Amino acid sequence: LDWGLAKRLPDHLRLAFSKFVFAAKEMDFVLMLESIDDMKMKLNRFNPMEDMTNIRFLMRDTAPPDEARSESKKFKDLMIRRHKAGKKQPMEAYPGDLLFFLRVTQLLHGLGSRLHTRATYLNYMAPEAERALKERVPKSEWP
């Protein structure tokens, strides 16, 4: 990885991504849907459980190569079954910044697999996402 993969997001999108990551960590369906709306993603259908499953897969832990391949194959097979059952692709439109984020995520998973490293991806991302969201609210209003 290099600094060419670093990107500064506009504040509204940074906070939407933060909600997205924090929602995945906490399995918060309402926050997930809010973040999708904040990022101006267009869904082809309404199925929060499927969406959360997809998001959690994208932000899964890194694993050694054989395990990572097996997880990817299971997910790919699931997507094929959904497609054959006539289910639409989940997203109609999404911001380019999300594609960038997902590409970096894929690179990190590949690197972790190649190095036979186990890392809980959301454990690194979620605290920073939570911090970004908390900074928007004055400390006096924190629960």
Side-chain angles (χ1 to χ4, degrees), residues 86-136:
K87 293 194 175 186
K88 293 181 177 181
Q89 290 294 324
M91 295 289 170
E92 179 179 314
Y94 35 83
D97 293 320
L98 180 61
L99 290 176
F100 186 81
F101 175 78
L102 295 175
R103 179 66 184 134
V104 170
T105 299
Q106 287 177 327
L107 290 170
L108 290 171
H109 278 103
L111 181 62
S113 178
R114 188 96 156 148
L115 296 173
H116 295 261
T117 303
R118 289 192 182 278
T120 305
Y121 194 71
L122 282 172
N123 282 355
Y124 299 114
M125 300 285 291
E128 293 305 314
E130 182 177 19
R131 183 181 57 77
L133 295 170
K134 278 185 175 178
E135 286 175 354
R136 297 273 301 171

Side-chain angles (χ1 to χ4, degrees), residues 64-74 113:
D66 291 341
E67 188 178 329
R69 262 191 298 286
S70 175
E71 288 175 357
S72 292
K73 184 179 180 335
K74 285 179 192 172
S113 178

Side-chain angles (χ1 to χ4, degrees), residues 51-71:
D51 295 336
M52 182 63 78
T53 299
N54 295 343
I55 291 167
R56 297 276 302 189
F57 176 78
L58 294 171
M59 296 187 194
R60 68 196 178 282
D61 298 351
T62 63
D66 291 341
E67 188 178 329
R69 262 191 298 286
S70 175
E71 288 175 357

Side-chain angles (χ1 to χ4, degrees), residues 26-39:
E26 297 295 315
M27 296 288 291
D28 185 329
F29 292 85
V30 173
L31 191 62
M32 175 194 65
L33 292 171
E34 185 179 317
S35 73
I36 287 170
D37 188 50
D38 289 352
M39 287 189 274

